[in-house]
mmCIF file of all heavy atoms in Angstrom:
data_model
loop_
_atom_site.group_PDB
_atom_site.id
_atom_site.type_symbol
_atom_site.label_atom_id
_atom_site.label_comp_id
_atom_site.label_asym_id
_atom_site.label_seq_id
_atom_site.Cartn_x
_atom_site.Cartn_y
_atom_site.Cartn_z
ATOM 1 N N TYR A 523 -9.231 3.859 31.584
ATOM 2 C CA TYR A 523 -9.306 4.127 32.965
ATOM 3 C C TYR A 523 -9.972 5.537 33.196
ATOM 4 O O TYR A 523 -10.810 5.656 34.038
ATOM 5 C CB TYR A 523 -7.898 4.136 33.628
ATOM 6 C CG TYR A 523 -7.892 4.647 35.026
ATOM 7 C CD1 TYR A 523 -8.359 3.883 36.057
ATOM 8 C CD2 TYR A 523 -7.488 5.967 35.307
ATOM 9 C CE1 TYR A 523 -8.429 4.315 37.387
ATOM 10 C CE2 TYR A 523 -7.519 6.429 36.583
ATOM 11 C CZ TYR A 523 -7.996 5.624 37.624
ATOM 12 O OH TYR A 523 -8.001 6.112 38.910
ATOM 13 N N GLU A 524 -9.503 6.456 32.380
ATOM 14 C CA GLU A 524 -10.070 7.818 32.519
ATOM 15 C C GLU A 524 -11.586 7.800 32.174
ATOM 16 O O GLU A 524 -12.373 8.508 32.817
ATOM 17 C CB GLU A 524 -9.272 8.809 31.698
ATOM 18 C CG GLU A 524 -8.094 9.313 32.477
ATOM 19 C CD GLU A 524 -6.952 9.778 31.636
ATOM 20 O OE1 GLU A 524 -7.122 9.950 30.452
ATOM 21 O OE2 GLU A 524 -5.863 9.964 32.197
ATOM 22 N N HIS A 525 -11.949 7.035 31.184
ATOM 23 C CA HIS A 525 -13.369 6.920 30.791
ATOM 24 C C HIS A 525 -14.143 6.348 31.999
ATOM 25 O O HIS A 525 -15.186 6.880 32.319
ATOM 26 C CB HIS A 525 -13.450 5.988 29.598
ATOM 27 C CG HIS A 525 -14.855 5.765 29.091
ATOM 28 N ND1 HIS A 525 -15.279 6.315 27.921
ATOM 29 C CD2 HIS A 525 -15.869 5.099 29.620
ATOM 30 C CE1 HIS A 525 -16.569 5.952 27.727
ATOM 31 N NE2 HIS A 525 -16.907 5.231 28.783
ATOM 32 N N ALA A 526 -13.618 5.310 32.566
ATOM 33 C CA ALA A 526 -14.320 4.686 33.649
ATOM 34 C C ALA A 526 -14.497 5.661 34.836
ATOM 35 O O ALA A 526 -15.499 5.730 35.506
ATOM 36 C CB ALA A 526 -13.582 3.443 34.110
ATOM 37 N N LEU A 527 -13.411 6.458 35.043
ATOM 38 C CA LEU A 527 -13.447 7.368 36.156
ATOM 39 C C LEU A 527 -14.535 8.406 35.883
ATOM 40 O O LEU A 527 -15.268 8.811 36.782
ATOM 41 C CB LEU A 527 -12.050 8.079 36.218
ATOM 42 C CG LEU A 527 -11.616 8.716 37.514
ATOM 43 C CD1 LEU A 527 -11.533 7.605 38.598
ATOM 44 C CD2 LEU A 527 -10.330 9.416 37.332
ATOM 45 N N LYS A 528 -14.618 8.918 34.612
ATOM 46 C CA LYS A 528 -15.560 9.901 34.276
ATOM 47 C C LYS A 528 -16.983 9.434 34.425
ATOM 48 O O LYS A 528 -17.875 10.131 34.916
ATOM 49 C CB LYS A 528 -15.315 10.298 32.780
ATOM 50 C CG LYS A 528 -15.672 11.772 32.544
ATOM 51 C CD LYS A 528 -14.973 12.290 31.323
ATOM 52 C CE LYS A 528 -15.770 11.969 30.051
ATOM 53 N NZ LYS A 528 -15.011 12.216 28.843
ATOM 54 N N HIS A 529 -17.234 8.188 34.043
ATOM 55 C CA HIS A 529 -18.595 7.663 34.113
ATOM 56 C C HIS A 529 -18.902 6.840 35.333
ATOM 57 O O HIS A 529 -20.032 6.363 35.521
ATOM 58 C CB HIS A 529 -18.842 6.781 32.868
ATOM 59 C CG HIS A 529 -18.813 7.561 31.607
ATOM 60 N ND1 HIS A 529 -17.694 7.814 30.920
ATOM 61 C CD2 HIS A 529 -19.795 8.187 30.961
ATOM 62 C CE1 HIS A 529 -17.946 8.536 29.870
ATOM 63 N NE2 HIS A 529 -19.246 8.785 29.844
ATOM 64 N N GLU A 530 -17.863 6.744 36.181
ATOM 65 C CA GLU A 530 -18.062 5.958 37.458
ATOM 66 C C GLU A 530 -18.763 4.663 37.272
ATOM 67 O O GLU A 530 -19.759 4.372 37.906
ATOM 68 C CB GLU A 530 -18.731 6.892 38.501
ATOM 69 C CG GLU A 530 -17.930 8.075 38.847
ATOM 70 C CD GLU A 530 -18.438 8.762 40.102
ATOM 71 O OE1 GLU A 530 -19.388 8.317 40.696
ATOM 72 O OE2 GLU A 530 -17.783 9.718 40.491
ATOM 73 N N THR A 531 -18.311 3.940 36.311
ATOM 74 C CA THR A 531 -18.995 2.690 35.936
ATOM 75 C C THR A 531 -18.643 1.504 36.909
ATOM 76 O O THR A 531 -19.430 0.615 37.011
ATOM 77 C CB THR A 531 -18.616 2.268 34.488
ATOM 78 O OG1 THR A 531 -17.227 2.411 34.370
ATOM 79 C CG2 THR A 531 -19.349 3.061 33.471
ATOM 80 N N THR A 532 -17.507 1.547 37.440
ATOM 81 C CA THR A 532 -17.117 0.438 38.307
ATOM 82 C C THR A 532 -17.027 0.886 39.749
ATOM 83 O O THR A 532 -16.788 2.057 40.027
ATOM 84 C CB THR A 532 -15.771 -0.146 37.920
ATOM 85 O OG1 THR A 532 -14.821 0.912 37.900
ATOM 86 C CG2 THR A 532 -15.841 -0.796 36.534
ATOM 87 N N LYS A 533 -17.118 -0.083 40.622
ATOM 88 C CA LYS A 533 -17.063 0.256 42.051
ATOM 89 C C LYS A 533 -15.686 0.885 42.357
ATOM 90 O O LYS A 533 -15.558 1.845 43.051
ATOM 91 C CB LYS A 533 -17.242 -1.036 42.840
ATOM 92 C CG LYS A 533 -18.580 -1.134 43.438
ATOM 93 C CD LYS A 533 -18.715 -2.326 44.387
ATOM 94 C CE LYS A 533 -19.078 -3.557 43.604
ATOM 95 N NZ LYS A 533 -18.746 -4.795 44.245
ATOM 96 N N SER A 534 -14.685 0.302 41.806
ATOM 97 C CA SER A 534 -13.302 0.764 42.143
ATOM 98 C C SER A 534 -12.844 1.786 41.142
ATOM 99 O O SER A 534 -11.727 2.200 41.176
ATOM 100 C CB SER A 534 -12.347 -0.419 42.128
ATOM 101 O OG SER A 534 -12.349 -0.998 40.809
ATOM 102 N N HIS A 535 -13.705 2.161 40.233
ATOM 103 C CA HIS A 535 -13.404 3.099 39.092
ATOM 104 C C HIS A 535 -12.215 2.544 38.289
ATOM 105 O O HIS A 535 -11.425 3.278 37.784
ATOM 106 C CB HIS A 535 -13.011 4.452 39.630
ATOM 107 C CG HIS A 535 -14.027 5.039 40.574
ATOM 108 N ND1 HIS A 535 -15.364 5.106 40.202
ATOM 109 C CD2 HIS A 535 -13.918 5.551 41.757
ATOM 110 C CE1 HIS A 535 -16.050 5.622 41.264
ATOM 111 N NE2 HIS A 535 -15.180 5.908 42.143
ATOM 112 N N SER A 536 -12.053 1.252 38.254
ATOM 113 C CA SER A 536 -10.949 0.719 37.513
ATOM 114 C C SER A 536 -11.431 -0.297 36.482
ATOM 115 O O SER A 536 -12.167 -1.212 36.823
ATOM 116 C CB SER A 536 -9.953 0.034 38.472
ATOM 117 O OG SER A 536 -9.044 -0.682 37.714
ATOM 118 N N PRO A 537 -11.057 -0.097 35.222
ATOM 119 C CA PRO A 537 -11.469 -1.082 34.222
ATOM 120 C C PRO A 537 -10.560 -2.260 34.196
ATOM 121 O O PRO A 537 -10.699 -3.180 33.355
ATOM 122 C CB PRO A 537 -11.318 -0.257 32.956
ATOM 123 C CG PRO A 537 -10.233 0.706 33.219
ATOM 124 C CD PRO A 537 -10.306 0.979 34.685
ATOM 125 N N PHE A 538 -9.591 -2.334 35.030
ATOM 126 C CA PHE A 538 -8.629 -3.419 34.990
ATOM 127 C C PHE A 538 -9.179 -4.599 35.829
ATOM 128 O O PHE A 538 -9.935 -4.387 36.774
ATOM 129 C CB PHE A 538 -7.249 -2.949 35.531
ATOM 130 C CG PHE A 538 -6.744 -1.796 34.784
ATOM 131 C CD1 PHE A 538 -6.563 -0.581 35.437
ATOM 132 C CD2 PHE A 538 -6.505 -1.884 33.419
ATOM 133 C CE1 PHE A 538 -6.168 0.519 34.752
ATOM 134 C CE2 PHE A 538 -6.052 -0.809 32.742
ATOM 135 C CZ PHE A 538 -5.866 0.439 33.391
ATOM 136 N N PRO A 539 -8.758 -5.772 35.438
ATOM 137 C CA PRO A 539 -9.202 -6.953 36.160
ATOM 138 C C PRO A 539 -8.913 -6.785 37.633
ATOM 139 O O PRO A 539 -7.808 -6.298 38.025
ATOM 140 C CB PRO A 539 -8.422 -8.064 35.576
ATOM 141 C CG PRO A 539 -7.897 -7.616 34.274
ATOM 142 C CD PRO A 539 -7.788 -6.130 34.392
ATOM 143 N N ALA A 540 -9.840 -7.094 38.502
ATOM 144 C CA ALA A 540 -9.572 -6.909 39.941
ATOM 145 C C ALA A 540 -10.145 -8.096 40.680
ATOM 146 O O ALA A 540 -11.377 -8.388 40.499
ATOM 147 C CB ALA A 540 -10.138 -5.621 40.408
ATOM 148 N N PRO A 541 -9.472 -8.784 41.537
ATOM 149 C CA PRO A 541 -8.029 -8.592 41.733
ATOM 150 C C PRO A 541 -7.281 -9.185 40.561
ATOM 151 O O PRO A 541 -7.690 -10.191 39.999
ATOM 152 C CB PRO A 541 -7.776 -9.404 42.967
ATOM 153 C CG PRO A 541 -8.785 -10.488 42.992
ATOM 154 C CD PRO A 541 -10.027 -9.905 42.349
ATOM 155 N N CYS A 542 -6.243 -8.509 40.212
ATOM 156 C CA CYS A 542 -5.460 -8.910 39.028
ATOM 157 C C CYS A 542 -4.296 -9.737 39.505
ATOM 158 O O CYS A 542 -3.509 -9.380 40.387
ATOM 159 C CB CYS A 542 -4.977 -7.680 38.327
ATOM 160 S SG CYS A 542 -4.017 -7.984 36.823
ATOM 161 N N ALA A 543 -4.163 -10.977 38.936
ATOM 162 C CA ALA A 543 -3.109 -11.858 39.403
ATOM 163 C C ALA A 543 -1.810 -11.621 38.604
ATOM 164 O O ALA A 543 -0.745 -11.858 39.171
ATOM 165 C CB ALA A 543 -3.549 -13.327 39.261
ATOM 166 N N MET A 544 -2.020 -11.312 37.323
ATOM 167 C CA MET A 544 -0.751 -11.202 36.517
ATOM 168 C C MET A 544 -0.867 -9.941 35.613
ATOM 169 O O MET A 544 -1.921 -9.660 35.028
ATOM 170 C CB MET A 544 -0.636 -12.381 35.574
ATOM 171 C CG MET A 544 -0.115 -13.621 36.074
ATOM 172 S SD MET A 544 0.054 -14.790 34.727
ATOM 173 C CE MET A 544 -0.579 -16.255 35.547
ATOM 174 N N VAL A 545 0.237 -9.225 35.549
ATOM 175 C CA VAL A 545 0.365 -8.217 34.454
ATOM 176 C C VAL A 545 1.466 -8.748 33.573
ATOM 177 O O VAL A 545 2.626 -8.980 34.092
ATOM 178 C CB VAL A 545 0.691 -6.853 35.047
ATOM 179 C CG1 VAL A 545 0.753 -5.808 33.903
ATOM 180 C CG2 VAL A 545 -0.296 -6.404 36.093
ATOM 181 N N ILE A 546 1.202 -8.771 32.284
ATOM 182 C CA ILE A 546 2.213 -9.252 31.346
ATOM 183 C C ILE A 546 2.648 -8.036 30.504
ATOM 184 O O ILE A 546 1.813 -7.360 29.902
ATOM 185 C CB ILE A 546 1.681 -10.314 30.348
ATOM 186 C CG1 ILE A 546 0.954 -11.387 31.090
ATOM 187 C CG2 ILE A 546 2.775 -10.827 29.459
ATOM 188 C CD1 ILE A 546 1.760 -12.430 31.842
ATOM 189 N N LEU A 547 3.897 -7.775 30.421
ATOM 190 C CA LEU A 547 4.406 -6.752 29.533
ATOM 191 C C LEU A 547 5.087 -7.454 28.397
ATOM 192 O O LEU A 547 6.249 -7.983 28.511
ATOM 193 C CB LEU A 547 5.449 -5.871 30.298
ATOM 194 C CG LEU A 547 4.884 -4.610 30.957
ATOM 195 C CD1 LEU A 547 3.974 -5.040 32.149
ATOM 196 C CD2 LEU A 547 5.976 -3.729 31.485
ATOM 197 N N ASP A 548 4.398 -7.590 27.272
ATOM 198 C CA ASP A 548 4.904 -8.273 26.095
ATOM 199 C C ASP A 548 5.682 -7.212 25.304
ATOM 200 O O ASP A 548 5.229 -6.106 25.079
ATOM 201 C CB ASP A 548 3.747 -8.860 25.211
ATOM 202 C CG ASP A 548 4.285 -9.851 24.220
ATOM 203 O OD1 ASP A 548 5.490 -9.981 24.111
ATOM 204 O OD2 ASP A 548 3.448 -10.490 23.556
#
Side-chain angles (χ1 to χ4, degrees):
Y523 170 76
E524 275 154 14
H525 180 108
L527 202 65
K528 212 159 85 192
H529 294 88
E530 299 197 353
T531 44
T532 55
K533 257 188 272 159
S534 60
H535 309 309
S536 168
F538 305 115
C542 181
M544 281 185 221
V545 182
I546 312 284
L547 270 67
D548 195 355

